[in-house]
């Protein structure tokens, strides 16, 4: 079901979680995959471009960064796809409910009746079916056979050609049931004779709901069908059948969303239990290839953290930790405890931040925000070679003005950076000496040397 969209979305998710930054290139690439998949799933091209435009506009917004930006992008894709395919609606049953199933020939009315019967009987409803398809010769027996499988009674009359007479015949009997599912005849197209027949049935039976059955394989043509039925018979919603085994389901779903016809259920196979309520978030989660969206977000989050962590650790090991790394670390964490994470990578400092009281952490967070602004105001050259600030202190003034931070804060940032960098360098050379193995004693000694100096 919607395999292509699903593959594209999964692919996009992978791209997002593997990327270090959410930049224009990533967004464009994810949108391109999505576009191709949606068009292949028979979604209207105009809708696809609308969706692309919206995703691009919001995703490119620079105000959100780092991990949050990735989550935002995933959520954005979810929201836009949801807008496209509609939200789905729960079919609320009253104490006594009569449902009229409508649709063209072979759309899946009879099959869906047995499925609905099975579904609601299992949920404690007293269900029966009423056969009013007097057009096709074998229709009545088919309904009976299928309802037998669902273990619900089907009231039929194979000889009667007038549906109104069948209603009359079973009127009293139907009173005993709290859910009556009415099978009607279809035609090749929605013509006046079918409209008249359904209207007269409606008048007699006074259904709680009129549900249109649409097969997914008609794709975008579902739009015309849904709007015609809506206009002629004011339907309450649709059930989309044959979602399995068609590449065009996207077209049917989006067409229904466009005509504002809520989707109550989807049929996903020929068997009696292959009927599902349509819950858009769960549905999209499945397209994304995750059990649930929350889980997906969690996954994106941890994938990012790990990647970032590995990269920074590598830089630290190589003794190449620049202000830029410090910045991207702050950016990607973007929240309380960032320094904690950074510190935990340095042997001997592991739990320094964990021991801090809450207010201190909040203060630290505020401080980091200022650092971030300061780094943003620096030139690329300065970020890569912070020594430039030692040589030309006027640079500090310029950055201070540009970022709205004090020169004191910038000096402190540079000092902290230098401290961490020196520490890493000395550790790296030590590691070199000992072929990658640094003994605990040396490590602790080094840690003691720097501990008092690194201010949090
Ligand atoms: N694969 C699949 N086939 C379905 C589904 N729903 C209905 N069908 C098939 O569609 C065909 C027409 O169904 P039917 O109920 O007779 O349609 P009706 O003419 O509207 O009553 C039958 O072959 C069904 O087995 C579905 O969800 N998945
Ligand atoms: Mg039928």
């Amino acid at each position: 079901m919607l395999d292509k969209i699903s593959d594209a979305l999964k692919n996009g998710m992978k791209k997002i979680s593997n990327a270090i930054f959410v930049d224009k290139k990533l967004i464009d690439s994810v949108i391109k995959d999505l576009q191709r998949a949606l068009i292949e799933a028979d979604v209207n091209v105009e809708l696809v471009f609308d969706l692309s435009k919206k995703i691009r506009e919001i995703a490119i917004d620079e105000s959100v960064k780092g991990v949050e930006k990735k989550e935002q992008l995933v959520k954005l894709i979810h929201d836009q796809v949801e807008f496209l395919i509609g939200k789905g609606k729960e079919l609320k049953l009253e104490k006594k409910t009569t449902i009229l199933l409508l649709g063209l020939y072979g759309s899946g009315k009879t099959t869906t009746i047995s499925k609905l019967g099975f579904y609601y009987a299992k949920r404690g409803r007293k269900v029966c079916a009423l056969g009013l398809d007097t057009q096709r010769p074998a229709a009545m027996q088919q309904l009976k056979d299928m309802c037998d499988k669902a273990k619900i009674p089907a009231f039929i009359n194979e000889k009667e050609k007038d549906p109104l007479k069948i209603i009359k015949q079973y009127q009293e009997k139907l009173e005993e049931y709290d859910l009556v599912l009415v099978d009607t005849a279809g035609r090749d197209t929605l013509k006046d004779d079918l409209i008249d027949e359904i209207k007269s049935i409606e008048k007699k039976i006074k259904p709680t709901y009129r549900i249109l059955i649409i097969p997914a394989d008609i794709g975008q043509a579902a739009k015309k069908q849904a709007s015609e039925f809506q206009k002629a018979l004011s339907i309450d919603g649709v059930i989309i059948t044959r979602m399995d085994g068609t590449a065009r389901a996207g077209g049917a779903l989006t067409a229904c969303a466009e005509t504002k016809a809520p989707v109550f259920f989807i049929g996903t196979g020929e068997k009696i239990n292959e009927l599902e309520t349509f819950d858009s978030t769960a549905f999209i989660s499945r397209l994304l290839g995750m059990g649930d969206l929350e889980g997906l977000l969690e996954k994106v989050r941890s994938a990012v953290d790990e990647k970032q962590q590995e990269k920074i650790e590598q830089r630290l090991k190589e003794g190449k930790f620049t202000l830029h790394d410090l910045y991207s670390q702050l950016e990607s964490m973007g929240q309380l405890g960032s320094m904690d994470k950074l510190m935990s990578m340095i042997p001997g400092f592991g739990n320094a931040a964990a021991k801090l009281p809450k207010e201190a952490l909040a203060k630290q967070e505020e401080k980091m925000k200022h650092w971030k602004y300061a780094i943003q105001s620096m030139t690329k050259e300065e970020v890569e070679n912070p020594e430039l600030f030692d040589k030309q202190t006027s640079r500090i003034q310029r950055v201070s003005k540009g970022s709205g931070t004090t020169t004191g804060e910038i000096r402190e940032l540079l000092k902290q950076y230098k401290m961490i960098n020196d520490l890493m360098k000395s550790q790296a050379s030590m590691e070199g000496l000992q072929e990658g193995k640094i003994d605990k004693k040396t490590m602790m000694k080094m840690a003691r040397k720097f501990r008092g100096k690194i201010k949090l």
Side-chain angles (χ1 to χ4, degrees):
M1 180 196 336
L2 297 181
D3 288 341
K4 291 229 169 87
I5 296 190
S6 187
D7 286 347
L9 282 172
K10 280 179 206 158
N11 196 24
M13 291 309 116
K14 222 182 278 158
K15 276 185 190 165
I16 294 170
S17 72
N18 287 342
I20 306 284
F21 299 109
V22 174
D23 54 12
K24 195 172 166 301
K25 213 173 120 211
L26 174 71
I27 294 165
D28 282 343
S29 153
V30 171
I31 288 177
K32 218 163 158 192
D33 285 346
L34 193 59
Q35 281 179 338
R36 199 177 305 132
L38 289 171
I39 289 170
E40 276 182 46
D42 200 37
V43 176
N44 181 296
V45 176
E46 245 173 80
L47 290 180
V48 175
F49 284 116
D50 277 355
L51 168 134
S52 315
K53 208 172 130 214
K54 268 190 227 150
I55 293 184
R56 191 172 283 117
E57 266 169 21
I58 306 173
I60 282 185
D61 176 6
E62 289 296 328
S63 59
V64 191
K65 287 210 156 78
V67 179
E68 287 166 29
K69 180 94 187 176
K70 294 197 182 197
E71 290 170 11
Q72 186 214 31
L73 186 56
V74 173
K75 187 169 181 313
L76 188 58
I77 291 172
H78 165 270
D79 292 351
Q80 290 304 318
V81 174
E82 183 177 67
F83 178 75
L84 205 62
I85 65 171
K87 262 183 187 294
K89 197 172 172 184
E90 190 195 349
L91 188 62
K92 286 220 166 74
L93 298 194
E94 291 166 12
K95 228 180 183 155
K96 189 163 173 55
T97 305
T98 304
I99 303 176
L100 208 56
L101 278 84
L102 317 169
L104 300 182
Y105 264 153
S107 55
K109 294 179 293 297
T110 309
T111 310
T112 304
I113 289 208
S114 66
K115 286 177 176 180
L116 284 171
F118 183 72
Y119 181 91
Y120 284 114
K122 258 198 352 208
R123 283 160 180 76
R125 288 270 164 171
K126 198 172 177 214
V127 195
C128 74
L130 176 67
L132 299 183
D133 182 356
T134 53
Q135 297 282 322
R136 281 209 310 204
M140 293 288 177
Q141 193 53 47
Q142 185 203 4
L143 179 67
K144 180 99 185 60
D145 292 345
M146 300 198 88
C147 287
D148 281 351
K149 275 191 208 147
K151 296 194 169 56
I152 59 167
F155 301 116
I156 57 168
N157 184 336
E158 288 178 274
K159 287 181 200 104
E160 183 54 64
K161 286 287 156 211
D162 181 358
L164 299 183
K165 286 199 178 137
I166 303 177
I167 297 175
K168 203 161 173 217
Q169 177 188 351
Y170 290 110
Q171 201 132 40
E172 242 172 78
K173 197 84 196 135
L174 297 180
E175 293 300 320
E176 296 169 23
Y177 296 85
D178 55 22
L179 176 61
V180 180
L181 303 167
V182 185
D183 193 16
T184 62
R187 301 285 194 277
D188 284 327
T189 51
L190 185 64
K191 289 260 171 63
D192 287 347
D193 63 333
L194 179 60
I195 295 173
D196 290 345
E197 180 178 320
I198 292 167
K199 277 194 169 151
S200 66
I201 290 174
E202 215 185 338
K203 220 165 127 194
K204 261 257 158 15
I205 229 157
K206 297 190 184 63
T208 325
Y209 294 110
R210 288 148 300 248
I211 299 180
L212 175 65
I213 310 300
I214 293 186
D217 39 38
I218 65 169
Q220 275 184 57
K223 189 176 169 187
K224 186 162 173 274
Q225 226 178 81
S227 59
E228 276 178 6
F229 270 88
Q230 208 162 35
K231 223 187 288 156
L233 299 156
S234 66
I235 54 167
D236 297 290
V238 300
I239 292 176
I240 302 181
T241 61
R242 297 207 284 266
M243 288 288 288
D244 54 306
T246 171
R248 310 181 73 193
L253 273 172
T254 50
C256 292
E258 258 192 298
T259 46
K260 304 238 166 9
V263 176
F264 293 122
F265 287 94
I266 50 177
T268 55
E270 289 190 56
K271 288 198 215 85
I272 203 150
N273 60 349
E274 289 174 314
L275 180 79
E276 299 172 18
T277 54
F278 183 62
D279 166 351
S280 55
T281 295
F283 187 80
I284 296 166
S285 298
R286 217 160 56 195
L287 290 182
L288 295 173
M290 308 293 159
D292 62 302
L293 203 60
E294 261 322 297
L296 168 87
L297 291 178
E298 195 50 51
K299 199 169 167 151
V300 171
R301 205 175 290 137
S302 66
V304 180
D305 274 2
E306 269 167 39
K307 277 261 164 203
Q308 195 84 13
Q309 210 89 341
E310 268 171 36
K311 197 178 148 225
I312 300 260
E313 245 164 308
Q314 191 54 37
R315 303 275 254 175
L316 284 170
K317 268 201 198 121
E318 289 167 3
K320 277 192 216 144
F321 187 74
T322 67
L323 264 181
H324 193 73
D325 294 316
L326 183 64
Y327 172 66
S328 63
Q329 185 74 4
L330 298 183
E331 183 194 53
S332 77
M333 308 287 176
Q335 58 195 1
L336 206 78
S338 306
M339 205 55 188
D340 175 13
K341 288 213 171 145
L342 188 61
M343 298 299 285
S344 69
M345 291 180 216
I346 303 171
F349 285 85
N351 293 316
K355 290 188 193 110
L356 287 174
K358 266 209 157 57
E359 311 92 83
L361 274 174
K363 232 169 97 187
Q364 173 205 333
E365 190 192 22
E366 195 52 36
K367 192 191 278 183
M368 281 194 310
K369 228 190 259 163
H370 284 202
W371 286 0
K372 205 169 125 174
Y373 298 148
I375 297 173
Q376 275 171 332
S377 281
M378 294 174 187
T379 64
K380 191 162 178 276
E381 220 191 342
E382 288 165 345
V383 172
E384 311 256 304
N385 311 292
E387 313 82 63
L388 286 174
F389 289 102
D390 298 336
K391 290 178 195 143
Q392 235 184 313
T393 48
S394 62
R395 286 174 187 267
I396 295 181
Q397 306 253 305
R398 196 202 78 242
V399 171
S400 159
K401 271 208 192 104
S403 61
T405 54
T406 66
T407 52
E409 282 173 315
I410 297 169
R411 275 180 221 283
E412 200 195 337
L413 161 67
L414 292 169
K415 207 168 118 198
Q416 299 290 313
Y417 159 75
K418 201 162 177 302
M419 200 93 64
I420 293 171
N421 202 32
D422 285 352
L423 174 65
M424 291 333 294
K425 269 192 193 138
S426 64
Q427 195 204 326
S429 59
M430 199 88 71
E431 271 187 356
L433 273 179
Q434 305 187 357
E435 287 171 357
K437 277 179 228 129
I438 184 165
D439 72 275
K440 214 168 175 162
K441 234 166 144 187
T442 320
M443 201 168 79
M444 291 315 289
K445 218 163 90 190
M446 244 165 48
R448 263 198 303 278
K449 183 175 156 205
F450 286 98
R451 180 169 292 163
K453 292 181 188 152
I454 294 187
K455 287 201 196 82
L456 293 165

